[in-house]
Amino acid sequence: RSPQYENGDIISSQNFTDIILRLNNPGEVTLNTMSYGLPLYGGNAAKIHKKLLELADSGTQINLGIDNTYGNRIAPQIDLPVGIAKRLGQRSILEKKEAAYAELTSHRNVSLNFNGSENPPFFPISKIDHRKILLVREQPSTTNDSTPDYGVIFGFNINYLLEPEHIDSAIYIDDPNALDWLQKYSRSPHYTQPSRKDFGSMRFVTRELTSGGNEIADQEILDTIRGANSEIVYCSQWLPDAAILDELGQAARNGVNIS
């Protein structure tokens, strides 16, 4: 297990990159991401790609899952449909991404899968597979059910967003029960029903692109806000929706410090 971090630690995209670059021929690495798009310039995404190829050459089993819709239908840098991206001069970036896929599939120790919908609708963002998980097993295993030694749930993608100037976060995990659940979840078909799972050290709540797919997660957020008595740090890609914003306002009026 990584000696630098403890279970539940919040780490940055650079910390995440460093974890992968420090790997010393583990038995198995599983990496699920929405986007695996390499920029034309050098950067952390390119370093990770090179490291994964080196590990595969050394005998590590690499399991790479990429969201089919986001990874293949949306450009890696400008978030536009591929056809439009090519017209806007992004063809070279897309071609480099395809070359990276080819390099990965040329290795017998790499399993490359595209998750999510194979036939997304005209508006593809409605059918993305948002799982972003790293799982590391230090020793080779003869079974598919062996628990990883540690893992990371992250928010960024394997692309230009891995650079230090972009702010996002990840959670380091070495709770064996949580890791066992994460491994099963990383392999599950999508789209499943949303779920909540409690462990001694943390709770996982999933969102899904199904009917009512946000209800469990939304209620969990509201319950957490209502249960706070001193401080709330709220970090999100988007502004909170009305119900959450109202609860944050009420907590502030009750004397809770809101950041």
Side-chain angles (χ1 to χ4, degrees):
R1 299 178 182 180
S2 175
Q4 291 83 11
Y5 308 108
E6 296 182 355
N7 189 63
D9 278 354
I10 305 297
I11 63 176
S12 69
S13 58
Q14 185 61 52
N15 297 145
F16 171 85
T17 300
D18 292 341
I19 285 176
I20 295 180
L21 297 183
R22 285 196 301 263
L23 291 175
N24 185 22
N25 299 333
E28 185 174 9
V29 174
T30 297
L31 177 63
N32 283 351
T33 178
M34 280 176 62
S35 173
Y36 192 94
L38 305 181
L40 293 180
Y41 52 85
N44 284 339
K47 292 176 183 177
I48 285 178
H49 177 68
K50 180 180 178 182
K51 180 67 176 183
L52 292 179
L53 293 176
E54 291 174 352
L55 291 173
D57 285 338
S58 299
T60 298
Q61 174 61 41
I62 305 294
N63 305 313
L64 183 61
I66 302 171
D67 174 50
N68 185 65
T69 300
Y70 195 90
N72 289 328
R73 305 278 181 120
I74 300 176
Q77 280 196 296
I78 56 177
D79 284 358
L80 290 173
V82 169
I84 298 175
K86 288 181 177 180
R87 295 190 187 96
L88 294 179
Q90 301 295 316
R91 182 182 295 274
S92 56
I93 294 176
L94 298 170
E95 289 176 347
K96 185 160 187 176
K97 179 193 69 174
E98 295 296 334
Y101 291 169
E103 286 183 313
L104 290 165
T105 55
S106 68
H107 286 72
R108 63 184 179 87
N109 290 327
V110 176
S111 173
L112 177 61
N113 297 297
F114 293 100
N115 300 323
S117 175
E118 294 182 0
N119 298 294
F122 178 76
F123 186 57
I125 205 71
S126 66
K127 285 294 183 182
I128 58 175
D129 186 319
H130 211 291
R131 288 176 290 185
K132 301 174 184 178
I133 304 170
L134 170 71
L135 298 170
V136 178
R137 182 186 295 141
E138 293 291 0
Q139 300 299 322
S141 173
T142 57
T143 70
N144 291 328
D145 298 325
S146 297
T147 300
D149 293 278
Y150 58 91
V152 178
I153 300 177
F154 54 96
F156 30 83
N157 287 306
I158 311 303
N159 58 14
Y160 69 105
L161 293 173
L162 278 173
E163 300 310 314
E165 64 268 20
H166 292 274
I167 299 174
D168 212 326
S169 60
I171 301 175
Y172 178 85
I173 299 170
D174 63 19
D175 180 312
N177 292 324
L179 289 167
D180 182 65
W181 185 90
L182 269 179
Q183 178 162 270
K184 292 182 174 65
Y185 179 70
S186 72
R187 299 170 177 171
S188 68
H190 271 207
Y191 303 94
T192 58
Q193 290 302 308
S195 62
R196 183 177 72 179
K197 184 69 175 178
D198 287 285
F199 303 99
S201 62
M202 60 186 63
R203 172 180 293 165
F204 292 156
V205 181
T206 67
R207 294 178 183 266
E208 299 288 357
L209 292 172
T210 59
S211 177
N214 291 330
E215 290 181 0
I216 295 177
D218 287 349
Q219 189 61 51
E220 185 74 19
I221 293 171
L222 294 174
D223 290 345
T224 300
I225 295 172
R226 292 165 183 163
N229 53 31
S230 61
E231 182 181 21
I232 294 173
V233 178
Y234 188 97
C235 182
S236 175
Q237 182 180 5
W238 312 107
L239 291 172
D241 64 24
I244 293 173
L245 195 59
D246 287 345
E247 289 294 336
L248 289 171
Q250 184 59 52
R253 288 188 291 273
N254 292 338
V256 177
N257 291 322
I258 309 294
S259 300

